[in-house]
Amino acid sequence: MSTGTGLQQQRALSAWITPRIAWSAFGAAVLLHALTFLIWPKAAPVGVDLNVYRAAGETVLAGRPLYEGPITFQMEWTYTPFAALVFVPFGVVPVIPLAAVVTPAHLLLVIPAVLLSWRTLGYRRDRALVLTSVLMAGAALWLDPVWLTTALGQVNLVLMMLVLLDVGRLRDSRWQGVLIGVAAGIKLTPLIFVGYLVLTGRWRAAATAVASFAGTIGLGFLLLPHDSARYWGGVFLSSNRIGTTASYSNQSISGMLARLTGDGNATSTAWLVLALVVGVLGMGLAVWAHRRGEELVAVTVVGMTGTAVSPFSWEHHWVWFVPLLVYLVHVARTAGRPGWWVVGGVYALTFAWIVSFPPVGGKTQPEIGLFALRSWPWLEAVTSNVYLLVFALSSAWIVSRLRKTPAAQPS
């Protein structure tokens, strides 16, 4: 369980967080989303990834190959064959009705994501906690990774919630590891949590995760043998199928190196060494947090570490800023003003700022997020790598907190 006196103070919040305040804040955040797209219809390629998921399901149903060319709008399928099987139901629904259901669902999904983060901290579920989660979800909707995830119809929030459910709610259960394996079966990045389970001595959960992941591979070979042979035969190693390494949207160490050196192939020795160092430090910090009873911190650090060391990480992969924000608010309520300054700083750096304002209704899309800010070249080296900066600064803050936290007593 987490340290601190969260439960008592959380109940005290009910004095001012009413349903009207909480839902008004959430509704205002949703309305701001809608207004952005009314003013700039091309503010983001709305539903693009959702359409790719639908096309993958449609491709499977039609018996066409998944990895021998684009499946829709010149976009290739970069996920696993199992993921395509998961999205088969999408393939039978027209794109507009599908978007009309999935987009509002994505917006609402942020509420249980925040609530699950609080629950992983050890807070009891009550009226005050639910209303706090609704209020914070309104703020989280305008974190840039969340904003883009909901706009694109991405799967990142769902995968994050599967991991949080597994590590937080299935803790000490014989089923722990199953959801991590399923999440990794859809998108490989959650595999880093298997290493986290091993490092924290949860061997059975790690074995369960591996078995669950292997099951998704086996199901893929059973139902899509040709596509599975292609994918696991080498396609999964081709990061160039995802995007240009030096793209500002690649908020990973490899992207940072590519931008700083001008080398578009920065997935080289320098990247391997730096990624290894960051990976070791990040996992070490996560294990330390686990031993201090801070499971949410541990899982969040692992998620951010995996995103940082990945060869390519779109900005919407950084949805781990949601549980990070919950933890920082949790700390700030006992740490006072310094803690709230940290909350404000992290939120400002990850907010979906509109940094360019093209004509209303025009064909030019606005640039959103600090990493897209290129008006001041002298700041570009910082803004273009802002998520890695947040990762580094928040990790330093977590270290300072853990040093003051006694080791957790075994249950």
Side-chain angles (χ1 to χ4, degrees):
M1 302 295 283
S2 65
T3 59
T5 57
L7 293 177
Q8 181 179 359
Q9 293 181 6
Q10 179 65 54
R11 287 195 291 268
L13 291 176
S14 62
W16 68 273
I17 299 184
T18 65
R20 177 176 295 180
I21 291 173
W23 286 105
S24 295
F26 184 81
V30 173
L31 180 61
L32 193 55
H33 269 258
L35 287 175
T36 301
F37 288 106
L38 284 176
I39 296 172
W40 297 293
K42 296 183 181 295
V46 180
V48 163
D49 287 345
L50 176 62
N51 194 49
V52 172
Y53 300 155
R54 179 185 174 277
E58 194 175 46
T59 298
V60 170
L61 292 173
R64 298 192 299 268
L66 283 168
Y67 304 104
E68 295 182 6
I71 59 172
T72 182
F73 295 123
Q74 302 303 309
M75 300 185 71
E76 297 184 275
W77 181 243
T78 59
Y79 292 5
T80 65
F82 173 73
L85 292 172
V86 170
F87 291 118
V88 161
F90 285 12
V92 298
V93 181
V95 64
I96 294 179
L98 182 63
V101 173
V102 172
T103 301
H106 247 117
L107 294 168
L108 291 171
L109 192 63
V110 183
I111 298 174
V114 173
L115 179 61
L116 187 56
S117 298
W118 282 111
R119 295 282 286 149
T120 306
L121 275 171
Y123 282 72
R124 187 180 67 192
R125 181 172 178 172
D126 57 16
R127 180 176 181 271
L129 188 62
V130 172
L131 292 179
T132 299
S133 299
V134 173
L135 181 68
M136 285 195 64
L141 277 175
W142 276 90
L143 293 172
D144 183 64
V146 178
W147 182 89
L148 194 56
T149 289
T150 56
L152 297 175
Q154 255 286 341
V155 74
N156 303 304
L157 278 171
V158 175
L159 298 181
M160 182 186 75
M161 291 178 66
L162 287 176
V163 172
L164 286 174
L165 280 168
D166 196 306
V167 177
R169 308 313 302 162
L170 295 183
R171 189 173 184 177
D172 300 323
S173 164
R174 64 177 180 174
W175 296 106
Q176 186 177 27
V178 169
L179 297 181
I180 288 176
V182 171
I186 296 173
K187 202 170 184 175
L188 299 181
T189 48
L191 278 175
I192 193 173
F193 289 96
V194 178
Y196 168 65
L197 292 175
V198 170
L199 290 173
T200 52
R202 288 173 280 187
W203 296 97
R204 177 173 178 171
T208 301
V210 171
S212 178
F213 175 62
T216 67
I217 297 175
L219 186 61
F221 271 101
L222 179 66
L223 300 178
L224 300 172
H226 175 73
D227 289 323
S228 295
R230 283 272 296 165
Y231 183 79
W232 297 110
V235 168
F236 74 100
L237 294 172
S238 303
S239 61
N240 60 347
R241 299 176 76 249
I242 302 174
T244 304
T245 303
S247 168
Y248 286 94
S249 294
N250 182 11
Q251 289 291 300
S252 70
I253 292 172
S254 67
M256 178 188 69
L257 290 175
R259 287 186 290 272
L260 292 178
T261 65
D263 180 8
N265 297 312
T267 52
S268 58
T269 304
W271 167 70
L272 288 172
V273 171
L274 191 54
L276 179 62
V277 171
V278 171
V280 170
L281 291 176
M283 296 300 282
L285 177 56
V287 172
W288 187 18
H290 169 78
R291 291 175 178 172
R292 289 293 188 267
E294 297 285 5
E295 196 65 29
L296 181 68
V297 178
V299 176
T300 302
V301 168
V302 174
M304 293 193 298
T305 299
T307 307
V309 303
S310 175
F312 197 105
S313 293
W314 294 103
E315 66 266 31
H316 50 73
H317 291 177
W318 289 87
V319 290
W320 291 99
F321 290 152
V322 173
L324 174 64
L325 191 66
V326 171
Y327 169 71
L328 293 178
V329 170
H330 161 73
V331 171
R333 292 175 52 230
T334 56
R337 184 175 297 177
W340 288 112
W341 275 109
V342 174
V343 171
V346 168
Y347 190 69
L349 289 173
T350 57
F351 189 80
W353 300 104
I354 300 174
V355 299
S356 68
F357 297 87
V360 173
K363 295 182 179 180
T364 304
Q365 66 183 59
E367 294 180 300
I368 297 179
L370 285 183
F371 64 89
L373 182 62
R374 293 183 287 276
S375 301
W376 302 313
W378 57 276
L379 264 182
E380 191 172 332
V382 175
T383 58
S384 64
N385 303 297
V386 64
Y387 290 176
L388 293 171
L389 176 65
V390 171
F391 175 39
L393 293 177
S394 59
S395 295
W397 172 256
I398 290 169
V399 167
S400 71
R401 295 299 305 174
L402 293 180
R403 292 179 63 185
K404 303 174 184 177
T405 305
Q409 296 298 319
S411 58

